Amino acid sequence: MNITTDASVFIARLDRARSEMKRTGVDALILSLGHDMPYLMGYLAMPLERLTMLVVPRDGEASLIIPRLEGPRVQELPGVFTMIPWNETEDPVAIAHALLGAAQTIAVGDQMWSRFLVDLLALRPSSKYVRSVTVMEALRSRKDAAEIAALVAAGAAADRVAAQLHAGDIPMVGRTEAQVSKDISARLIAEGHQKVNFAIVAAGENAASPHHHAGDRVIKHGEIVLCDFGGTMNGYCSDITRCVHLGEPPKEISDAYDVLFEAQAAAVLAGKVGVTCESVDAAARRVIDAAGYGEYFVHRTGHGIGMEEHEDPYMVSGNTTLLAAGHAYSVEPGIYIPNKWGMRLEDIVVATENGPMPVNHANHHLVILDK
Ligand code: ZN
Ligand code: ZN
Ligand code: ZN
């Protein structure tokens, strides 16, 4: 499912891709699996062994090479691309080779199976190959109004699940992490997502592992529980982390949470157009370092988000990319004390000319349940 089937949106995006191709000296763009292709023409290919490929010449019409049996799943958009269905006995790479004509520099999608690229290399040994990110990064990382609206809607749906978590609607004590994870997943769907991408539930010492996989661990009174969940709604992703404490938290945990809260708020506020991505990371790290938890904040502060859960730009030390209006990203500092406990607080934020616009508004405090 996609936010738009409006041909004019795709025509405009293909035009922008062609100007990026001109700017970067790319003669043709070839895309297959992954999200660059649906961004440009609406169709997300299934990860099959048969080749689906969009060929975009810089100065010609786009073509979709597609297994004939997959054809009925494609929404045809005249003026956007031409369908070229191939039969089981045909060689789709030879069709791509013919369409590429005299193209010298070819930008290739990251997720095209290597078997097809290897065959293409053999057919066109003198072409030069670059990654599609050369062309696509400038387009996909800056979200347009419809994309921002989709991110806001997905974020609001995730917020509603967070509110249910905070209200105690999701029983915790005596259940396994996996059961709670299943419950959160069902609620993401009930609130409008078509797909759940993850629902991390990590109790007590498990919360010290940032990407813990919810398992058979039974949740007990007296523990912190970290919940990080998100899904895809109308083609765009949500991603939120909230922690609850079952019973009054010990001072060690409430003090650390105050630091986390302040660090996350500082990094959200730092997200002004024109600052570097690494300065957003630094804003959170400064607070956590000053409080003495620096060595326990073991990951970057955030990742871009859009059609994919993790995409450019990344809020990480060393990334000097300047924040621009339309950049959408997570702000998710964490503090993880090995074998004891962990905590993370995460919102999605969109950079705008009027300052950072958080997509999530669910209560940011450590909510106490099972009092
Ligand atoms: Zn993550
Ligand atoms: Zn997350
Ligand atoms: Zn995230």
Side-chain angles (χ1 to χ4, degrees), residues 65-94:
I65 301 169
I66 184 152
R68 189 172 292 282
L69 74 166
E70 297 301 318
R73 306 198 327 117
V74 179
Q75 160 124 35
E76 290 194 60
L77 293 169
V80 179
F81 64 93
T82 305
M83 284 249 272
I84 305 189
W86 59 273
N87 299 313
E88 300 284 46
T89 53
E90 284 181 289
D91 174 9
V93 178

Side-chain angles (χ1 to χ4, degrees), residues 232-253:
T232 306
M233 189 167 131
N234 300 333
Y236 283 77
C237 294
S238 64
D239 185 2
I240 187 172
T241 307
R242 291 295 185 268
C243 295
V244 294
H245 202 280
L246 305 171
E248 273 308 316
K251 189 170 177 325
E252 183 193 21
I253 286 186

